[in-house]
Amino acid sequence: MHLSMHFIPIGIGEYMYSTVRTAVLDGINAIPVQVEVDISTGMPVFDMVGNLTPEAREAKERVKTALHNCGIALPAKRITVNLSPANIRKAGTGFDLPIAVAIMMAMGIIDEQKLKGCTLCGELNLNGEILPVSGILPIVFDEYGRGIEHFIIPHKNENEGKLVCGAKIYGINHLNDIIENLESSDAIFKSGITDSRDCGGKYADFADVNGQKFIKRACEVAAGGMHNILLVGPPGAGKTMIAERMPSILPPLTENEKLELSKIYSVCGLLDNDNTLKVDRPFRNPHYSVTQAALIGGGTKISPGEISLAHNGVLFLDELAEFKGGMLDLLRAPLEEHCIRLSRAGRNVTYPANFLLFGAMNPCSCGYYPDMQRCRCSEPTLRRYFDKVSQPIIDRIDICVEATPLSFDEISSTSANETSEDIRKRVISCHEIQKKRYAGETFLYNSKITTDKLEKYCYLNKREQNYMENMYEKLGLTARTYHKILKVARTIADLESCEDIKTKHLNEAICYRSINEKFWGGACG
């Protein structure tokens, strides 16, 4: 839809100031921004101010050319564009549309009253077409929460904007669309309706996994309390196969979790424009050659990394010992704080990063330790290999188990295995117990119990206390590992709907730490 070419002059005595509302992203939150335009007498110049990044400053050329190609001649006057507040860095290309509209308002082409209480966002190309931008969902969601009901956004972002229930969305393809509609009558705004139907994304089933009952049990416990887990075993033991099925036993996302996850994917431009929120728990599997910015986030735009894309889901790190030096240690803070704080050139951004870490690694460089008949590694080689995964990272993993090779009978077995749905039902029941127990707390799962709350929620009777006292001395436990054993034991008890932690629960929890002596030289870390 294009207007016939018409050049619109501006009179000297006309009102030549206008303002339009838009927003800029800060992490997965949107900060309101006012686009102010002033057209005054003076040397013909087009200035843009307001703490702009280079890509935002380039909007000047895009807007000038797009307006020209839509038949709108800018007056030979001083045009000043200000993006307020000036103390916030403006990044992105979504300011093109609000700047162009604000200029047309100042020129008297568009009535300012028709866009009162409306937020605009979109990128322009040189012929006036509106291109999609990233981060529409958090912009619409946060602005709607501030009382803004109407939104003018690119047509290709329309379904994403309509995910916010109640928001009135007007998706446009061309700059002329907004001119023609606002000249004739009010734009046709469509109400947003949150639609989180199942998109059909299915995970592989645990029924396909033969044998490895101990590993399956460990995965169930890990899912029950959202505990981090590490599998150590030779090639072909099924580590990756089991990890890929981990999301299938996790409970469905809540509505708040769907929205938060969808906002992260929207910021990255990964949210499909199909009128649905992200409904499946993410499973991210970055290669061990991943860069720091790709793993934890960063770059020139400070984008979310894999740990944020795995928010409320599973981050699978295969070949854990092959990650570049120091890369794994970057996870230490996110694993404790469940978010990542990134600082670049005076700008600070926080992204959510509450994920379940699932690690897998071979027991040595050749993959066959401790089978000394097949293992070709020397003692120094083994030590260097194990040292690639630092003790602080091991301390932040609640469950460490060994995946043993399958026997021929297990591989060829045709007996039915327990399905993911069967395991998931027990995990959901376990989560419901925790949600009721921690209703007044800042955490929801056993793995997140703070140290000051351990005595309250992981209380041990006299017999169990004596047992752990003996184990503490016998195994040389550290305070951190002792606390993790208590949390895992609490989850095991919840899976059995047992109010008190029993000795058998503690014993099983200790078994999930026993491989440390074999590989890292400490009984339980």
Side-chain angles (χ1 to χ4, degrees):
M1 186 186 298
H2 296 275
L3 288 176
S4 58
M5 296 294 286
H6 58 285
F7 292 87
I8 304 174
I10 180 169
I12 294 179
E14 295 179 10
Y15 181 64
M16 293 178 287
Y17 170 84
S18 66
T19 180
V20 166
R21 188 181 180 103
T22 184
V24 64
L25 291 174
D26 179 37
I28 61 170
N29 300 313
I31 300 174
V33 171
Q34 293 294 330
V35 178
E36 300 176 295
V37 171
D38 179 78
I39 302 178
S40 58
T41 57
M43 291 290 292
V45 67
F46 191 127
D47 280 336
M48 288 184 59
V49 296
N51 199 357
L52 310 176
T53 62
E55 63 181 0
R57 192 174 297 279
E58 290 170 355
K60 176 174 70 173
E61 300 303 327
R62 290 191 294 268
V63 169
K64 286 168 58 178
T65 308
L67 289 173
H68 172 78
N69 288 326
C70 290
I72 299 173
L74 293 178
K77 296 181 180 293
R78 183 178 184 86
I79 301 174
T80 304
V81 178
N82 178 42
L83 274 61
S84 174
N87 65 318
I88 297 174
R89 188 73 165 161
K90 316 301 188 310
T93 58
F95 301 110
D96 294 7
L97 178 60
I99 290 172
V101 170
I103 290 174
M104 289 189 288
M105 281 183 178
M107 295 173 65
I109 300 172
I110 294 177
D111 184 0
E112 188 170 358
Q113 293 301 315
K114 289 189 175 182
L115 289 179
K116 194 172 183 180
C118 180
T119 293
L120 295 85
C121 188
E123 179 183 342
L124 286 171
N125 70 4
L126 298 185
N127 69 357
E129 292 181 4
I130 311 299
L131 305 178
V133 295
S134 301
I136 286 295
L137 177 59
I139 288 174
V140 174
F141 179 81
D142 289 356
E143 285 288 272
Y144 184 72
R146 298 184 183 105
I148 304 299
E149 294 186 357
H150 297 82
F151 299 86
I152 297 178
I153 61 176
H155 179 72
K156 292 183 178 179
N157 290 128
E158 184 175 351
N159 286 340
E160 183 180 335
K162 288 194 292 186
L163 291 173
V164 180
C165 184
K168 297 178 180 178
I169 308 297
Y170 179 37
I172 59 175
N173 288 308
H174 198 277
L175 193 58
N176 283 330
D177 294 347
I178 189 171
I179 299 172
E180 292 183 349
N181 279 280
L182 293 178
E183 278 182 342
S184 58
S185 60
D186 290 336
I188 301 174
F189 288 90
K190 301 174 183 178
S191 295
I193 301 175
T194 301
D195 180 4
S196 57
R197 63 181 181 273
D198 191 343
C199 298
K202 300 296 181 183
Y203 293 107
D205 200 290
F206 266 98
D208 303 328
V209 182
N210 289 345
Q212 302 292 17
K213 290 184 179 180
F214 180 67
I215 304 298
K216 291 179 184 178
R217 170 63 175 176
C219 289
E220 180 180 340
V221 174
M226 298 302 284
H227 300 283
N228 299 319
I229 181 172
L230 171 64
L231 299 188
V232 182
K239 302 185 296 296
T240 301
M241 185 179 186
I242 291 172
E244 290 172 344
R245 285 153 176 76
M246 191 68 180
S248 68
I249 63 175
L250 293 173
L253 291 169
T254 65
E255 290 303 316
N256 286 337
E257 289 174 336
K258 291 176 186 176
L259 181 59
E260 189 174 37
L261 181 63
S262 298
K263 289 169 74 173
I264 296 171
Y265 277 70
S266 176
V267 170
C268 293
L270 299 176
L271 189 63
D272 296 330
N273 192 35
D274 58 1
N275 207 32
T276 57
L277 295 172
K278 298 290 291 185
V279 297
D280 294 321
R281 290 189 181 270
F283 177 81
R284 305 295 299 186
N285 180 14
H287 191 260
Y288 56 76
S289 62
V290 65
T291 63
Q292 175 179 326
L295 181 63
I296 68 170
T300 55
K301 297 182 181 179
I302 318 189
S303 301
E306 290 289 342
I307 63 173
S308 295
L309 294 173
H311 182 60
N312 292 326
V314 177
L315 177 67
F316 177 47
L317 300 183
D318 200 4
E319 304 295 347
L320 199 66
E322 300 301 329
F323 280 78
K324 288 180 286 186
M327 190 69 70
L328 293 178
D329 288 322
L330 297 174
L331 302 179
R332 287 159 61 175
L335 286 172
E336 293 287 342
E337 300 173 2
H338 317 303
C339 66
I340 180 67
R341 295 179 176 87
L342 302 169
S343 298
R344 300 291 186 276
R347 184 184 172 204
N348 300 314
V349 176
T350 300
Y351 287 115
N354 187 12
F355 55 89
L356 189 157
L357 176 62
F358 196 118
M361 59 182 289
N362 292 331
C364 65
S365 298
C366 72
Y368 294 106
Y369 179 80
D371 185 350
M372 302 314 295
Q373 292 183 343
R374 303 177 69 184
C375 181
R376 305 184 301 273
C377 299
S378 63
E379 186 66 29
T381 302
L382 289 173
R383 180 49 49 203
R384 284 195 299 270
Y385 182 80
F386 298 142
D387 286 345
K388 290 181 180 180
V389 183
S390 67
Q391 193 62 49
I393 288 295
I394 296 299
D395 285 348
R396 285 166 173 80
I397 297 176
D398 301 1
I399 299 175
C400 302
V401 290
E402 186 174 7
T404 56
L406 294 173
S407 66
F408 178 79
D409 290 339
E410 290 175 321
I411 295 174
S412 59
S413 174
T414 57
S415 59
N417 297 312
E418 190 174 33
T419 65
S420 291
E421 185 60 31
D422 295 332
I423 302 173
R424 192 186 201 191
K425 289 177 182 178
R426 296 195 295 269
V427 171
I428 291 175
S429 298
C430 182
H431 278 222
E432 291 300 321
I433 292 173
Q434 293 170 74
K435 287 179 181 179
K436 291 179 181 178
R437 180 189 299 136
Y438 307 132
E441 302 289 353
T442 57
F443 50 86
L444 292 176
Y445 304 110
N446 291 330
S447 62
K448 310 297 192 282
I449 301 175
T450 55
T451 305
D452 59 315
K453 301 288 185 179
L454 269 173
E455 186 175 355
K456 177 180 179 181
Y457 294 117
C458 299
Y459 177 79
L460 300 180
N461 293 318
K462 189 65 176 178
R463 179 183 175 185
E464 286 70 31
Q465 194 169 5
N466 291 336
Y467 174 78
M468 283 308 301
E469 184 178 353
N470 291 333
M471 290 295 103
Y472 191 91
E473 298 296 332
K474 182 178 179 180
L475 301 176
L477 301 178
T478 64
R480 185 194 294 269
T481 310
Y482 171 68
H483 293 160
K484 288 194 175 297
I485 290 173
L486 291 182
K487 295 175 185 179
V488 173
R490 178 70 271 171
T491 299
I492 297 169
D494 289 341
L495 284 168
E496 297 180 3
S497 299
C498 186
E499 186 174 347
D500 295 329
I501 298 175
K502 303 296 185 183
T503 303
K504 62 177 182 178
H505 305 144
L506 294 168
N507 189 48
E508 182 178 349
I510 291 173
C511 289
Y512 294 141
R513 302 289 303 183
S514 60
I515 67 169
N516 280 40
E517 182 177 12
K518 180 186 290 186
F519 298 111
W520 282 276
C524 291

